């Protein structure tokens, strides 16, 4: 029994009905060489394999025949697959609302040899499969030829052949979409299209200076040209997740304002759909929530306030929605650019009350730690070395909050690591609300504040604090220069 060997390419294929006879679908499947076992109708949802979802199931009778019937008017077409009971053998096709077709195959030949009746588009699909088989073989031959290249000239020749082969695939899809508009396969081909940056020299408006960012700007500007955000069927295909990831994580500048603007743009394009809008909002939220880039928590709060709180996350239960709202509420007070919440706690050494906002310095490093935390035991000495070598000379002060531990353990930690020069506090009566204000759910949690106690960095460590301070100093110097000139 053959596995599906060309999955990286073949999932971009399928069938689209030219006339819708009824809602739902009727699919009669006959596979020679199999009987009395289950077969599953499965589909994608944004992501490629192995992420698929079962839509329906049926059992082959003694003649190898199985039927799928549904009158569901909400059925959404896309790239579907017939998955046999071994969960390994399958073939793909395109299904649409109203389809009524017959499919025949021989289990020993799968995924090849699949025949369709009452589905002209699947005949085109088979032609595309044949084209892709030859394309794949040619790519493998070029890969071998490239590995055997003995000179720069040989390498250049192989690259030229590879470029021509890639253009053949692109031209095939363009030609099909041109000759068969308004079909599902054409919609998928258009969605897969990649912007082709015009060749030649490109100049700035002065007509003399080379525009070094032309390729990037053109590619980004035309990235979504062929993608139909109003067609939910594209979510039932393994296309969108990779495209939105490339766009948001490689083409969009990783600044909160830029990410928020581009998120609004994509959601506006998908507004009015069900699956496309749902997947877009879910993906954007998850992407910034999981991001390691500083400042993306601001985008998370923005999305919750402007979409979740306004009823756009229609698929969430009340309890699920409340989790997003609670998370945003915790993050909102400490997003970058906000005034840092005040912290007033006693000094572990002097017993005097200390105020974070009373600390005088060009910058303040606010550190939440535990004396028994293994990571803290390594990180704080590293920060102290950086402080003494670099940060102190830049006018930076350090304010720490011990999140747990008794007076002796905290005092021993401070003295052992020679941190007495810092302002070291503890919440011995457990009355402070710093944990909620600063979203302290793990230690160490480190913030950088400027002279006015505005939050300029968060979730930092010894490897990036100095770089951030340098960047802020350069920005301040640049802003001062611009202000002086104006």
């Amino acid at each position: 029994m053959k596995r599906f060997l060309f999955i990286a390419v073949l999932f971009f294929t399928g069938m689209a009905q030219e006339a819708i006879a009824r809602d739902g679908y009727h699919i009669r499947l006959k596979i020679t060489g199999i009987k009395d076992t289950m077969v599953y109708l499965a589909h994608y949802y944004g992501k490629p394999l192995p992420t698929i979802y079962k839509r329906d199931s049926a059992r082959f009778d003694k003649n190898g025949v199985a039927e799928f019937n549904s009158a569901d008017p909400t059925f959404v077409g896309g790239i579907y697959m017939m998955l046999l009971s071994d969960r390994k053998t399958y073939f793909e096709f395109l299904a649409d609302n109203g389809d009524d077709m017959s499919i025949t195959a021989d289990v020993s030949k799968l995924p090849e040899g699949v025949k369709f009746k009452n589905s002209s588009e699947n005949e085109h699909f088979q032609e595309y499969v044949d084209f892709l088989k030859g394309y794949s073989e040619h790519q493998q031959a070029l890969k071998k030829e490239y590995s055997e290249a003995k000179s720069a000239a040989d390498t250049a020749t192989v690259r030229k052949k590879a470029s021509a082969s890639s253009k053949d695939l692109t031209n095939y899809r363009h030609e099909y979409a041109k000759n068969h508009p308004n079909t599902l396969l054409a919609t998928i081909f258009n969605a897969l299209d990649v912007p082709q940056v015009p060749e030649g020299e490109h100049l700035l408006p002065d007509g003399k200076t080379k525009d070094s960012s032309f390729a990037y700007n053109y590619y980004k500007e035309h990235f979504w040209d062929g993608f139909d955000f109003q067609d939910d069927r594209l979510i039932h295909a393994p296309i969108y997740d990779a495209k939105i990831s490339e766009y948001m994580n490689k083409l969009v500048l990783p600044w909160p304002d830029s990410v928020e603007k581009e998120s609004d743009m994509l959601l506006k394009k998908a507004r009015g759909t069900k699956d496309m809008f749902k997947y877009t909002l879910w993906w954007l939220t998850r992407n910034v929530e999981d991001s390691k880039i500083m400042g993306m928590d601001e985008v998370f709060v923005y999305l919750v306030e402007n979409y979740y709180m306004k009823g756009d996350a229609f698929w969430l239960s009340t309890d699920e929605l409340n989790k997003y709202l609670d998370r945003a509420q915790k993050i909102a007070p400490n997003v970058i650019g906000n005034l840092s919440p005040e912290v007033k706690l006693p000094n572990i050494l002097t017993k005097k009350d200390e105020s974070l906002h009373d600390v005088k310095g060009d910058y303040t490093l606010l550190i939440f730690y535990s004396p028994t935390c293994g990571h803290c035991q390594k990180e704080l000495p590293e920060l102290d070395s950086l402080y003494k070598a670099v940060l102190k000379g830049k006018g930076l002060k350090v304010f720490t909050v011990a999140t747990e531990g008794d007076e002796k353990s905290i005092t021993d930690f401070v003295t052992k690591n020679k941190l007495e020069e810092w302002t070291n506090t503890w919440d011995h009566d457990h009355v402070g609300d710093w944990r909620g204000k600063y979203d302290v759910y793990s230690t160490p949690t480190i913030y950088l504040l400027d002279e006015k106690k505005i939050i300029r960095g968060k979730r930092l460590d010894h490897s990036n604090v100095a770089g951030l301070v340098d960047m802020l100093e350069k920005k301040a110097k640049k802003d001062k220069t611009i202000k002086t000139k104006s």
Side-chain angles (χ1 to χ4, degrees):
M1 203 177 283
K2 294 183 181 179
R3 296 281 305 269
F4 201 90
L5 302 179
F6 303 102
I7 187 62
V9 185
L10 295 188
F11 61 49
F12 301 133
T13 57
M15 174 283 306
Q17 281 295 88
E18 295 160 326
I20 296 178
R22 63 174 189 173
D23 287 325
Y25 52 82
H26 174 221
I27 303 173
R28 184 178 185 274
L29 175 66
K30 178 176 175 57
I31 298 184
T32 304
I34 195 168
K35 61 181 180 180
D36 296 327
T37 61
M38 296 298 295
V39 59
Y40 304 95
L41 178 64
H43 67 90
Y44 295 98
Y45 199 79
K47 293 177 176 288
L49 284 172
T51 307
I52 56 173
Y53 299 86
K54 187 184 81 171
R55 164 72 197 194
D56 204 347
S57 62
R59 176 174 287 276
F60 287 110
D61 63 18
K62 63 182 180 179
N63 298 314
V65 176
E67 292 202 32
F68 294 88
N69 284 287
S70 172
D72 182 2
T74 65
F75 174 70
V76 179
I79 298 181
Y80 283 72
M81 67 171 63
M82 289 296 180
L83 178 65
L84 301 190
S85 59
D86 63 0
R87 306 297 177 96
K88 297 179 180 179
T89 308
Y90 60 92
F91 65 88
E92 294 174 315
F93 62 101
L94 291 188
D96 216 344
N97 194 14
D99 279 347
D100 188 347
M101 73 176 89
S102 296
I103 306 174
T104 58
D106 186 327
V107 70
S108 66
K109 297 179 180 179
L110 288 176
E112 298 178 359
V114 182
K115 304 293 183 182
F116 295 86
K117 183 179 180 181
N118 195 30
S119 176
S120 61
E121 275 302 304
N122 269 305
E123 295 175 6
H124 297 303
F125 156 75
Q126 291 300 321
E127 294 172 1
Y128 182 55
V129 168
D130 292 339
F131 173 85
L132 287 176
K133 183 179 180 181
Y135 176 81
S136 178
E137 292 172 351
H138 185 53
Q139 291 296 306
Q140 291 301 315
L142 287 175
K143 185 177 180 180
K144 181 180 179 182
E145 191 175 340
Y146 185 84
S147 67
E148 296 173 350
K150 298 180 179 180
S151 66
D154 292 341
T155 300
T157 299
V158 177
R159 287 177 175 171
K160 187 175 181 180
K161 291 180 181 179
S163 178
S165 179
S166 179
K167 288 181 180 178
D168 288 342
L169 177 59
T170 299
N171 290 338
Y172 186 104
R173 292 171 176 168
H174 285 177
E175 193 68 18
Y176 183 90
K178 177 182 177 182
N179 293 331
H180 302 85
N182 304 318
T183 63
L184 180 50
L185 186 54
T187 300
I188 291 173
F189 283 168
N190 288 334
L192 287 168
D193 204 22
V194 176
Q196 302 299 311
V197 179
E199 298 179 356
E201 187 177 43
H202 303 283
L203 305 176
L204 292 173
D206 63 13
K208 299 178 181 179
T209 309
K210 183 178 179 180
D211 187 354
S212 59
S213 61
F214 177 85
Y216 161 77
N217 290 329
Y218 184 93
Y219 188 85
K220 180 175 181 292
E221 182 180 350
H222 295 276
F223 188 83
W224 296 108
D225 282 0
F227 195 94
D228 187 354
F229 279 87
Q230 290 296 304
D231 196 331
D232 272 336
R233 296 176 301 179
L234 289 177
I235 288 297
H236 292 268
I239 298 173
Y240 189 46
D241 193 84
K243 284 191 74 81
I244 192 173
S245 179
E246 178 183 357
Y247 187 76
M248 294 300 297
N249 293 331
K250 295 182 179 180
L251 299 179
V252 176
L253 296 175
W255 301 335
D257 287 350
S258 296
V259 177
E260 290 167 9
K261 177 183 177 182
E262 298 289 349
S263 296
D264 285 340
M265 180 273 292
L266 293 177
L267 289 165
K268 183 178 180 180
K269 286 179 177 290
R271 176 73 72 181
T273 64
K274 180 182 177 182
D275 292 326
M276 186 67 72
F277 185 87
K278 173 183 175 181
Y279 196 91
T280 302
L281 182 55
W282 169 82
W283 190 97
L284 292 168
T285 307
R286 183 210 60 184
N287 193 54
V288 295
E289 191 174 17
D290 295 343
S291 177
K292 303 301 182 184
I293 299 174
M294 189 171 61
M296 289 302 106
D297 52 352
E298 176 186 328
V299 185
F300 176 81
V301 174
Y302 177 86
L303 291 173
V304 171
E305 290 180 347
N306 288 275
Y307 294 94
Y308 289 77
M309 291 177 66
K310 295 183 178 180
D312 284 326
F314 54 84
W315 65 93
L316 295 179
S317 67
T318 300
D319 288 343
E320 291 170 332
L321 179 60
N322 284 336
K323 290 180 181 179
Y324 282 92
L325 303 185
D326 290 344
R327 181 70 181 142
Q329 188 176 27
K330 290 179 180 178
I331 296 174
N334 57 76
V335 299
I336 293 174
N338 280 6
L339 177 66
S340 61
E342 173 68 294
V343 177
K344 289 185 177 181
L345 292 171
N347 190 305
I348 189 68
L349 300 179
T350 68
K351 307 302 185 287
K352 287 175 49 181
D353 285 342
E354 303 281 6
S355 165
L356 172 64
H357 284 188
D358 286 344
V359 174
K360 305 301 181 183
D362 294 330
Y363 301 96
T364 302
L365 203 61
L366 173 60
I367 305 173
F368 296 92
Y369 77 99
S370 166
T372 59
C373 159
H375 190 186
C376 300
Q377 291 169 1
K378 294 179 180 180
E379 181 64 23
L380 267 68
E382 293 274 12
L383 283 168
D384 183 53
S385 297
L386 181 66
Y387 166 75
K388 291 173 180 174
V390 179
L391 300 177
K392 182 178 179 180
K394 294 180 178 291
L396 181 141
K397 298 295 180 64
V398 182
F399 189 103
T400 72
V401 177
T403 61
E404 59 185 8
D406 57 27
E407 183 175 2
K408 184 177 186 306
S409 66
I410 299 170
T411 302
D412 288 348
F413 181 87
V414 171
T415 55
K416 176 185 176 182
N417 291 290
K418 300 179 181 180
L419 307 178
E420 293 91 345
E421 192 173 346
W422 296 358
T423 300
N424 300 287
T425 70
W426 69 310
D427 190 3
H428 64 292
D429 293 325
H430 304 289
V431 295
D433 56 354
W434 46 266
R435 192 179 297 275
K437 289 178 177 178
Y438 284 95
D439 195 27
V440 181
Y441 55 86
S442 63
T443 55
T445 297
I446 303 170
Y447 287 78
L448 178 67
L449 317 178
D450 66 12
E451 183 181 11
K452 297 179 180 179
K453 299 300 180 287
I454 302 298
I455 299 173
R456 297 303 180 190
K458 61 188 297 186
R459 307 292 172 189
L460 301 167
D461 59 40
H462 71 275
S463 70
N464 51 28
V465 172
L468 178 56
V469 171
D470 286 342
M471 184 186 75
L472 292 171
E473 287 183 333
K474 290 177 181 178
K475 184 178 184 302
K477 185 177 180 180
K478 182 179 178 181
D479 292 344
K480 184 178 180 180
T481 301
I482 294 174
K483 185 177 181 179
T484 301
K485 289 182 178 180
S486 61

